[in-house]
Amino acid sequence: MPTFDESRDETIEILSIVPTQGPGGIIAPSCTAAISLAVDEINSGTGILGREIRLTTIDGGRPPSVVATEVEALLATGMVGAITGWHTSAVRRAVATAVDSRVPYLYATDHEGLPDERAGVLMVGEHPDHQTVPAAAWMGRELGVRRWAVIGNDYVWPRHTAHALRRALPSPADIVLERYVPMGTTDFANFLDEPALLFADAVLILMVGADTARFNRQFTAVGLSDFLPRLSPAVDENVLLSAGPGANKNLYVASSFFLDDNDGRRARYRRHQGKFAPVLTTFGNSTYEAVHLLRSVADTVGTLDVPTVQARLAEGLAVDGPATRRGFLGNQAVGPTHLARADGVDFDIIDRLD
């Protein structure tokens, strides 16, 4: 936070919410390092609205109510100008209530597309209708997938994303198995031993971080990866590495944040963080782009005032910057989404999704 001899007129404090514990904890180092690069790049120019960015990181891996209480206390200082980060939708919903539209909140990962988000909550990650649903349709066309099994963590994003898939399928009965497990689950035998799984053509994984890695290892260990493809919108290179290359066979991932590195981002990241830095992943890239998108929105609109930003969003705000997100549809930042196949601990991008 700014020191007592600094004012909000001189700096803009950004809260970055990333999980440093729980199944999402394997994501945090990459996200934090990527956000740090974005902040330094912006500060090396004119900052945001001519002011230097300061960054405060808080642990988004705690219960949503605990995270929201800390955010509310920091907002009470009057020094916070914006919020971003990679964390679960359950945390986002609690934090958005605490923020109550006082500052812009750029949510940097996939979401479930609920219609009642508060003003000022800008979705940088994808809506399921722009990511999971077209990825499933691609697998139907290209791989002959018709029936799905779904395994997810038990909170708002997995349940609503599965609902979006069900709406898009020819019949609701095409989801032959649907299970939700607590975050931190270590044993998936109840799902893997379920007879209904044998009627599925593919599995949709809607879990976080280490939970997905553990599931993929167990899925492979029972021999299912040889003939049953998996799809997830929530896998990055850290998840692939944690599972191990042998557990990632036949795994497809949909994302808007695969790195093509046309702008030399990886090289800048290495220079900034050093050769022992955590890998710059798709999730880290989403948080990097969220901070740059915040700068683009603020500089385009001329303020971080939420009602003013919302009015410009309603007009159809277009922005310019190094990020892939160049405009908005309501509160949703829009840009191209791609499908990749896991290749060991990396991704092979195979198609663009419409």
Side-chain angles (χ1 to χ4, degrees):
M1 297 293 290
T3 60
F4 286 112
D5 60 349
E6 294 175 325
S7 73
R8 188 172 173 179
D9 292 335
E10 298 171 327
T11 63
I12 292 178
E13 185 72 21
I14 299 177
L15 297 185
S16 171
I17 306 173
V18 295
T20 61
Q21 60 183 293
I26 64 173
I27 308 302
S30 295
C31 291
T32 300
I35 292 172
S36 174
L37 172 62
V39 167
D40 281 4
E41 288 178 344
I42 292 169
N43 283 340
S44 69
T46 59
I48 292 180
L49 300 174
R51 287 177 279 171
E52 181 183 5
I53 306 173
R54 296 295 183 87
L55 193 67
T56 296
T57 301
I58 66 175
D59 178 14
R62 298 167 295 171
S65 61
V66 175
V67 180
T69 297
E70 182 173 358
V71 170
E72 192 162 24
L74 292 171
L75 282 167
T77 67
M79 302 299 288
V80 175
I83 299 171
T84 188
W86 191 103
H87 42 275
T88 68
S89 288
V91 170
R92 185 194 77 248
R93 298 287 283 182
V95 168
T97 299
V99 172
D100 195 23
S101 304
R102 285 176 281 179
V103 299
Y105 181 4
L106 277 74
Y107 186 64
T109 190
D110 310 325
H111 62 96
E112 57 287 341
L114 296 179
D116 62 344
E117 295 294 343
R118 291 174 180 260
V121 179
L122 308 186
M123 300 303 193
V124 180
E126 283 292 3
H127 188 292
D129 288 348
H130 304 159
Q131 183 177 38
T132 301
V133 170
W138 184 97
M139 294 180 73
R141 292 191 308 270
E142 303 296 329
L143 304 180
V145 171
R146 185 170 68 85
R147 296 177 299 270
W148 288 87
V150 177
I151 177 77
N153 288 130
D154 192 5
Y155 71 100
V156 59
W157 169 70
R159 288 184 176 274
H160 280 268
T161 301
H163 183 62
L165 174 63
R166 183 180 291 105
R167 288 198 317 265
L169 292 173
S171 167
D174 288 339
I175 294 182
V176 299
L177 175 62
E178 188 174 358
R179 294 285 185 274
Y180 298 96
V181 298
M183 292 182 68
T185 294
T186 59
D187 186 351
F188 298 96
N190 286 342
F191 179 85
L192 297 173
D193 292 341
E194 173 61 53
L197 183 59
L198 298 178
F199 293 94
D201 302 313
V203 177
L204 175 62
I205 307 171
L206 300 170
M207 292 187 290
V208 175
D211 286 9
T212 301
R214 283 190 289 265
F215 174 81
N216 283 336
R217 286 196 296 270
Q218 294 175 35
F219 188 90
T220 300
V222 297
L224 291 172
S225 62
D226 289 335
F227 64 90
L228 200 57
R230 288 154 290 163
L231 169 66
S232 177
V235 168
D236 77 341
E237 292 85 344
N238 283 318
V239 175
L240 297 181
L241 183 63
S242 178
N248 300 324
K249 179 181 178 181
N250 227 3
L251 173 63
Y252 294 81
V253 177
S255 177
S256 299
F257 298 103
F258 295 120
L259 279 159
D260 59 21
D261 210 29
N262 288 335
D263 64 352
R265 195 172 300 177
R266 279 195 179 93
R268 296 199 310 277
Y269 176 82
R270 285 295 178 189
R271 287 195 300 270
H272 183 266
Q273 293 292 330
K275 63 181 180 180
F276 296 113
V279 65
L280 179 56
T281 69
T282 56
F283 290 159
N285 194 38
S286 72
T287 58
Y288 169 92
E289 295 203 0
V291 178
H292 274 287
L293 186 61
L294 174 66
R295 179 202 61 78
S296 297
V297 169
D299 288 354
T300 300
V301 177
T303 181
L304 287 172
D305 174 68
V306 169
T308 306
V309 171
Q310 286 293 131
R312 291 295 301 276
L313 289 174
E315 296 169 0
L317 180 64
V319 296
D320 187 23
T324 60
R325 318 319 249 174
R326 296 301 176 94
F328 286 86
L329 182 62
N331 71 336
Q332 172 68 61
V334 293
T337 302
H338 293 86
L339 186 70
R341 185 170 44 233
D343 181 10
V345 295
D346 208 344
F347 291 114
D348 177 20
I349 299 173
I350 56 177
D351 211 345
R352 175 167 169 163
L353 298 173
D354 295 326

